[in-house]
Amino acid sequence: MRTSGGFHPSALAPDPRARRASRAAGWVIVAVGLLGFAGWLLALPALRQPLVKFPPVGFASALGILALGTGVLGLADNHRRALAVGGGIGFLLGIVALLQRATGLNLGSGALTDPVAFLDVAAPLNIPVSNALLFEFGGAGLLAFVLPLRMDLRRTLAGAIGSIVVALCLGIAVTRLVGLVGLPGSTEGLLAGSSVHVLLASLLLGFDLVFVSWTADSTAATTPWVPLSIGLACLVTVLLMWRTMVTYEVHQAHEQTAAVAGTALREIARQVETATRGLVRIARFSPEPRPASPGWVASMLTLTHDIDGLKGIGWADRSAVIRDYRPTPIPSDTFEMNIPRRLASLAARSDSGPLPEVSYLALGDSSRAFAAVVRICPLQGCTGYIVGVFDAERLLQPILVNRGDGYAFRVTSAGARLLGPRAGTRIPSAWAERSSFNIGDVTWQLVVWPTGESLMRFRTGLPDLLLMLGLFVTALLPVTVRLGQMTLTRARLTERVRLNLALETATDGIWEWDPQSGLATRSDTLWRHLGYPPTEIPETLDGWMALVHPDDARRVQDVLNEHLRGDRQTFEAEYRVRDHGGRWHWVIDRGRVVDRSAAGAPLRMLGISADVTARRSAEDALREVQSFTTMGRLAARVAHEVNNPLAGIQNAFTLIKDAVPLDHPHRPYVGAIEREIGRIAGVTRQLYETYRQEQSGEGEASVASAVGDAVALLEQLNRESKVRIVVDLAGAPAVVHFPDALLRQAVYNLVQNAVEVSPPGGRIDVTATLDDGCFVLRVADQGPGIPPESRDRVFEPFFSTKPATLKTGGMGLGLSMVRQSVRAFGGRVDIVDLNGKGSEFVVRLPLYSSESGVPA
């Protein structure tokens, strides 16, 4: 049923204010998406990244924003296809992005960029997890309006999702603004990596979904979806903030570990350089070594004690032949096994090009040892090499062991441990930082990780505290809201019960109507009064209007719409309602709109109902008595006025009749004139006796005489209609104890009415019988019948279904006077439909004993 105000409850956004808000939000979202897309396409930083605190918008994110804006415009214009397409694209984009993150697929690089050059030029199609969640929830909120559910359930689901989107946007914005994720403008934040474009569009979308659901449901403040939505929104926000803070702590730990690893690599390089600097000085400034020279031997031994990790120093001639080595090695020592061969290889490389001042050689059979080779090149030319053999563990131990900074180190070469914990020691791979150090042919792998004490410094416990407090608030806030709703509902019920108790003594009940949803409730008292079980009639306005009399329904609806539009201050209507037994009750409704939206749309209407059938019947009986009194006086006056000149005409004609000779050619007309004067006198007398007021209700009537005279008179008056009147008095008593005028009036009016509606040559049946202590008079005709909607009105004065051109009547007074007279003697008049073959009027008059005055 359409109500005033231009909206319909089945519309996606039924409130005009909600439609305007959705249209404005949709265009703003589309504009934001176009700006982001233009900034990405034209490489304009001001459009792509207007705030440095937030990352720039990407191609896929701009596309998602445009899709969501299209869906919101479809919601505003009730365009379900646009709504489904926009919401579907946004939802699928979020799902694909989450699957991309779960599988590790990079849509902006790799195999996908090879066959499609455009993707190589485009901004990364990777979408942060926060964007994916916003697109997924936003698309789901729009798609909720096209699900195969009841419209109120669709709006409830959309409103719940919208509140989650709003909470998610606010959580992401706070996370970005406080700088918990990465550097300002970083695009690496997976949880809070949304651009300002996506946040603004999603925030508008979320607020619009909540607004549409709220304005469409006047009872939204008490529906269960409100606390549920608040709880879900709080839970999503808490989890986001907790995960963001945990990610921030992990990020900080990794950054610190990487810094420590970088420092360690620089210290390793400096340690190696320091260790080889002594060899360089010997090669540059010392005299040419002589084997077994005491000075040489003493100097070499001193260096092996002063330089960290130096195992020994040797001297080789130009041909890479080792001339001396100190301290003296054992036969299986690495020096004698590997150095000659590696020196020969180094000398061979010098023939093809210049060598570095210091060369580092990895000794294959011992991953812990390496050699540093320095050329001896005085002014007269290169004459040989200074060779130093170092132990890696002894070299690195002073700078990596027992540092006291809360980090552990492990150095390996070719998979063998050089320094650090022994094999089997568990390294926390999630926190470890791995890097390599290369010098010449020597390669070391460095692993750095924080110790337990360091991790405790990074793990402040603040995220866990936030999580616990957030979960507590998430559990407490919905319960608090729900308790408030229950309190409000209980207060309303208490108010309604108190109002019911106060009104039931003065009226038949109260009613409440929600114009938005169509829900209409009426008190059980009214339903019991009408004979209906409270659950038999649907609790809707349409269900109640189905009981209203067809002649009154349009008038009631017009008055209701005028009040809803504000043209009437209150709603008041008096109309007929059908009870369970099919009888019509006159009821009066009074009410008004008690709650309207900001746009003026009616949200709640309250009123009272009262059955005024008794009052209406009394008023009708008083409309009738006055009319009957007036008509009786008028009829008696007319009869009196006609009877006086008629008596003079009759006396004058008696004198004229005697003056006309019997053999006069026009003598036959004398008899005709006399008979017509007699007929006029009889009609006048009948009219006077029929409509005159009886002084008392006593008297007797001969059924045969009263019925016969009335029928005979009507046959003469209606002889041109050729209607046949058949009388059956076989079952009737000879005498009845009520006035003769009452019976004559009933027969005269009912038979005359039947003649007027009968077709030419038709038949009228007049039957009188006794039935259960009542005298029953039946008059049946073969006319067109009486429509059901007019059966109550045919007894109203001046109401007639006969054409006004009918010369025998048509003023609508006869039936009214018959019912009034019959009611006055405790009887009633009923109408029986003869299945399309005419109508039958049935008069029932109780028979009273002349002695006791009680029914015989």
Side-chain angles (χ1 to χ4, degrees):
M1 169 184 169
R2 183 173 293 274
T3 56
S4 65
F7 60 87
H8 195 275
S10 63
L12 298 176
D15 193 280
R17 183 179 54 166
R19 292 199 301 271
R20 291 193 296 268
S22 297
R23 190 172 293 109
W27 283 116
V28 172
I29 294 174
V30 169
V32 170
L34 291 176
L35 288 176
F37 190 80
W40 169 83
L41 186 63
L42 302 177
L44 298 176
L47 295 180
R48 191 180 177 194
Q49 190 180 7
L51 298 178
V52 295
K53 277 280 188 179
F54 296 87
V57 66
F59 168 76
S61 297
L63 179 63
I65 295 174
L66 290 175
L68 295 180
T70 302
V72 175
L73 290 177
L75 175 63
D77 297 330
N78 204 25
H79 198 293
R80 299 176 185 269
R81 180 172 298 178
L83 176 63
V85 171
I89 293 177
F91 181 77
L92 291 178
L93 194 61
I95 292 293
V96 171
L98 291 179
L99 291 177
Q100 166 201 344
R101 288 293 179 183
T103 58
L105 179 63
N106 189 341
L107 296 181
S109 62
L112 291 181
T113 61
D114 293 334
V116 184
F118 173 76
L119 292 180
D120 196 28
V121 179
L125 295 180
N126 294 327
I127 298 178
V129 175
S130 56
N131 278 9
L133 292 175
L134 291 175
F135 288 149
E136 183 178 2
F137 279 114
L142 293 174
L143 290 177
F145 285 99
V146 295
L147 292 177
L149 301 173
R150 292 202 324 263
M151 183 55 69
D152 57 337
L153 295 180
R154 300 183 202 175
R155 298 191 185 108
T156 297
L157 180 60
I161 296 176
S163 62
I164 295 176
V165 172
V166 171
L168 194 61
C169 289
L170 295 179
I172 294 173
V174 171
T175 303
R176 295 301 311 183
L177 291 175
V178 299
L180 290 180
V181 179
L183 298 176
S186 172
T187 60
E188 299 300 323
L190 299 183
L191 293 176
S194 297
S195 66
V196 68
H197 306 76
V198 175
L199 287 180
L200 178 59
S202 300
L203 193 63
L204 288 174
L205 171 62
F207 275 125
D208 186 67
L209 292 177
V210 174
F211 187 71
V212 170
S213 301
W214 191 274
T215 55
D217 186 3
S218 62
T219 60
T222 58
T223 53
W225 73 266
V226 173
L228 178 61
S229 301
I230 293 176
L232 289 176
C234 289
L235 180 61
V236 170
T237 305
V238 168
L239 292 179
L240 175 69
M241 295 294 292
W242 170 76
R243 185 58 185 169
T244 300
M245 296 187 70
V246 170
T247 303
Y248 173 74
E249 291 187 349
V250 173
H251 180 72
Q252 290 292 96
H254 279 293
E255 284 190 343
Q256 185 64 28
T257 304
V260 171
T263 302
L265 289 175
R266 289 191 296 271
E267 291 180 354
I268 291 173
R270 187 165 53 249
Q271 179 76 344
V272 172
E273 181 184 0
T274 301
T276 57
R277 192 177 300 127
L279 302 179
V280 174
R281 285 199 300 268
I282 293 175
R284 287 183 179 178
F285 306 110
S286 297
E288 184 175 351
R290 296 290 183 266
S293 170
W296 164 261
V297 173
S299 298
M300 298 305 104
L301 291 176
T302 301
L303 287 175
T304 57
H305 289 89
D306 293 341
I307 298 177
D308 294 332
L310 183 61
K311 294 176 61 179
I313 301 176
W315 169 72
D317 59 15
R318 191 175 210 176
S319 59
V321 176
I322 298 176
R323 297 298 184 182
D324 194 10
Y325 174 76
R326 299 295 175 175
T328 304
I330 59 176
S332 60
D333 192 83
T334 300
F335 191 85
E336 292 185 351
M337 296 291 295
N338 293 310
I339 291 299
R341 177 172 53 84
R342 301 301 302 275
L343 282 176
S345 175
L346 185 63
R349 290 205 305 269
S350 65
D351 297 336
S352 60
L355 294 175
E357 183 179 19
V358 182
S359 298
Y360 297 92
L361 303 177
L363 304 180
D365 64 339
S366 178
S367 59
R368 295 182 57 180
F370 69 95
V373 181
V374 181
R375 291 178 297 161
I376 303 175
C377 298
L379 296 177
Q380 59 271 27
C382 294
T383 60
Y385 303 92
I386 296 295
V387 180
V389 178
F390 291 88
D391 183 277
E393 182 178 6
R394 289 172 52 195
L395 176 67
L396 301 178
Q397 191 171 15
I399 62 172
L400 297 182
V401 178
N402 299 323
R403 292 168 55 95
D405 55 1
Y407 288 88
F409 301 85
R410 171 177 285 179
V411 182
T412 60
S413 178
R417 183 183 67 87
L418 300 181
L419 187 71
R422 297 186 179 275
T425 302
R426 181 178 177 274
I427 299 177
S429 58
W431 305 93
E433 186 73 23
R434 303 177 186 273
S435 54
S436 298
F437 178 78
N438 300 309
I439 48 173
D441 295 338
V442 180
T443 300
W444 296 332
Q445 288 78 37
L446 175 65
V447 183
V448 183
W449 67 93
T451 61
E453 294 79 5
S454 297
L455 288 179
M456 290 300 296
R457 290 199 307 268
F458 290 113
R459 296 296 302 272
T460 61
L462 184 60
D464 296 335
L465 178 62
L466 175 65
L467 179 62
M468 289 188 294
L469 292 178
L471 292 178
F472 177 75
V473 173
T474 299
L476 182 63
L477 189 58
V479 173
T480 303
V481 174
R482 188 56 182 164
L483 289 177
Q485 289 181 328
M486 295 174 64
T487 302
L488 179 61
T489 302
R490 191 178 298 111
R492 286 184 175 179
L493 290 177
T494 303
E495 176 189 1
R496 184 170 181 176
V497 169
R498 186 182 298 113
L499 186 60
N500 266 330
L501 293 176
L503 293 177
E504 279 182 354
T505 58
T507 186
D508 293 322
I510 65 174
W511 49 266
E512 181 177 357
W513 179 45
D514 179 5
Q516 302 289 332
S517 64
L519 181 65
T521 58
R522 292 182 179 263
S523 59
D524 295 343
T525 304
L526 181 60
W527 293 120
R528 287 193 298 268
H529 179 74
L530 296 177
Y532 293 101
T535 58
E536 181 175 342
I537 305 301
E539 291 187 341
T540 61
L541 183 61
D542 292 337
W544 175 258
M545 292 300 294
L547 305 178
V548 178
H549 197 285
D551 292 344
D552 302 335
R554 180 62 180 273
R555 173 174 52 84
V556 173
Q557 185 63 60
D558 291 342
V559 174
L560 177 61
N561 288 340
E562 289 176 3
H563 175 60
L564 294 178
R565 290 194 303 266
D567 298 339
R568 290 174 175 260
Q569 291 296 324
T570 59
F571 165 72
E572 181 175 345
E574 188 171 334
Y575 54 94
R576 287 165 290 182
V577 176
R578 185 179 66 252
D579 66 8
H580 194 272
R583 295 181 297 273
W584 294 104
H585 289 249
W586 281 94
V587 299
I588 185 170
D589 274 354
R590 294 186 179 95
R592 62 176 299 172
V593 174
V594 296
D595 190 13
R596 290 182 182 269
S597 66
L603 300 179
R604 186 180 178 211
M605 190 171 179
L606 287 177
I608 60 175
S609 293
D611 191 318
V612 293
T613 304
R615 188 206 72 190
R616 190 67 179 250
S617 298
E619 292 177 352
D620 291 344
L622 180 63
R623 190 182 319 162
E624 290 185 7
V625 170
Q626 292 175 346
S627 299
F628 293 150
T629 301
T630 302
M631 289 185 297
R633 292 175 179 174
L634 179 62
R637 181 69 175 176
V638 170
H640 177 74
E641 294 298 330
V642 171
N643 189 59
N644 288 337
L646 184 62
I649 293 174
Q650 189 174 18
N651 293 334
F653 181 72
T654 302
L655 297 176
I656 295 174
K657 178 183 66 174
D658 294 337
V660 178
L662 297 177
D663 57 351
H664 193 277
H666 299 299
R667 180 67 183 185
Y669 293 105
V670 173
I673 293 174
E674 189 174 25
R675 287 193 300 273
E676 294 301 326
I677 292 176
R679 183 176 295 110
I680 294 175
V683 171
T684 303
R685 184 175 62 257
Q686 179 67 28
L687 180 65
Y688 179 76
E689 292 180 354
T690 298
Y691 289 103
R692 71 175 179 176
Q693 291 181 315
E694 294 289 340
Q695 297 300 322
S696 68
E698 299 180 358
E700 294 183 347
S702 170
V703 175
S705 175
V707 173
D709 290 348
V711 170
L713 176 61
L714 292 173
E715 285 179 337
Q716 292 296 324
L717 292 176
N718 301 284
R719 57 182 179 271
E720 294 182 359
S721 65
K722 301 180 181 180
V723 175
R724 188 161 55 98
I725 304 175
V726 178
V727 179
D728 182 5
L729 303 179
V735 177
V736 291
H737 297 284
F738 46 76
D740 178 78
L742 172 63
L743 183 57
R744 291 176 181 272
Q745 182 192 73
V747 174
Y748 179 87
N749 285 284
L750 293 179
V751 174
Q752 179 62 34
N753 185 71
V755 170
E756 292 172 350
V757 299
S758 296
R763 170 176 168 170
I764 298 174
D765 292 315
V766 181
T767 306
T769 58
L770 284 175
D771 182 18
D772 194 20
C774 290
F775 172 78
V776 180
L777 175 67
R778 300 178 184 271
V779 178
D781 60 60
Q782 296 178 342
I786 301 175
E789 62 272 14
S790 301
R791 290 182 184 175
D792 285 344
R793 301 196 61 192
V794 295
F795 294 107
E796 296 179 4
F798 306 106
F799 177 84
S800 176
T801 59
K802 296 172 289 187
T805 56
L806 190 65
K807 64 181 181 179
T808 57
M811 293 184 63
L813 297 175
L815 293 180
S816 300
M817 299 194 67
V818 169
R819 188 176 69 166
Q820 191 269 345
S821 300
V822 171
R823 281 183 174 180
F825 281 88
R828 73 173 190 266
V829 182
D830 298 323
I831 302 176
V832 179
D833 182 51
L834 300 180
N835 298 324
K837 298 181 180 179
S839 301
E840 182 180 60
F841 284 79
V842 181
V843 177
R844 292 180 177 272
L845 286 165
L847 296 177
Y848 291 92
S849 170
S850 59
E851 292 84 4
S852 62
V854 299

